[in-house]
Every structure is written in structure tokens, then in C-alpha cells.
Amino acid sequence: MYREDNRYSEYIAQQIKKGTTTCALTCKDGVVLAADTRASAGLFIADRHVMKIQKVDRHLGMTMAGGVADAQNVVDIMRYNANIYRLSNKELMPVKSAARLCSNVLFNQRYFPYYVQILVAGYDDKEGGQIYN
């Protein structure tokens, strides 16, 4: 009985590992983010119209994969801080700073980690298009 239960557990674990794919690329005048729109867990499709690409600010976006609540929480934190930066400094948050902020947010949750995989991408006048994982 244990062997059958163990095989079934392994089968379910293998099916759940198949997740989403998001990608980003830089070009001369900007950054392109791409993702599918299907939310799934293995063979189960929960929703066919999910927004996996989120706008953080006018020049900054991120793709998300993993736990929906965790990803939305990280996006909300990023939007909040990007807005505070823009209001305080009267300029847009540098993409590198946004990536560092996202890294710090994820690191600070290391004992109760967010179940997310994120790409942060944006365009600065000084640095051009940038992508961070």
C-alpha cells in the first residue's frame, strides 16, 4: 500500500512542477515582456485569462510565476515603493534599484518564503533596457 501511495505522490509532484513560462528581452528602444495567460496546476486549468505581466510604473514591469497571492503581494510592494520614489525624488525609480528592492523583499521573507519566480524589466534613459531575474 505504501509503495502505491508513494508512486501516486511522485506522479502528482511531477505534474505540478510543470508551470508557466515567462520571458523578457531587450531591444534598441525598450524591453519586451511575454507570458502565457493560463493558470494551471499540473493538468488542472484554473483560469485561461490571467495577467502574468504587471505594470509597476511607466517604465517598469514584471512577469510573475508561482503562487498568485505571493506574486500579487510582491507587485503591490513594488508599485507602492516606485510611487513613493517618484513622488519623493520627482523622477522615475531606476530599474536597477527596483530589482534590488525586489531582491531585498524576497530575501527578507527567506524564513517564510514567497513562492514566486519574477522577472523585473524596464527602460532607463541612461542605461537603456534592463532585465533582472
Side-chain angles (χ1 to χ4, degrees), residues 105-125:
V105 167
L106 295 173
F107 181 77
N108 285 334
Q109 288 293 122
R110 66 190 175 276
Y111 297 118
F112 299 99
Y114 287 126
Y115 183 65
V116 294
Q117 185 61 255
I118 290 177
L119 293 177
V120 177
Y123 186 84
D124 286 338
D125 290 331

Side-chain angles (χ1 to χ4, degrees), residues 62-83:
M62 49 195 310
T63 67
M64 54 186 176
V68 176
D70 290 346
Q72 288 175 343
N73 191 24
V74 173
V75 170
D76 288 343
I77 291 168
M78 295 296 293
R79 281 185 184 145
Y80 171 81
N81 283 289
N83 285 331

Side-chain angles (χ1 to χ4, degrees), residues 12 19 25 38 43 56-57 65 80 93 98 101 104 106 121:
I12 294 298
L25 60 97
R38 196 166 50 176
L43 301 174
V56 176
D57 207 344
Y80 171 81
M93 176 184 266
L101 171 66
N104 289 340
L106 295 173

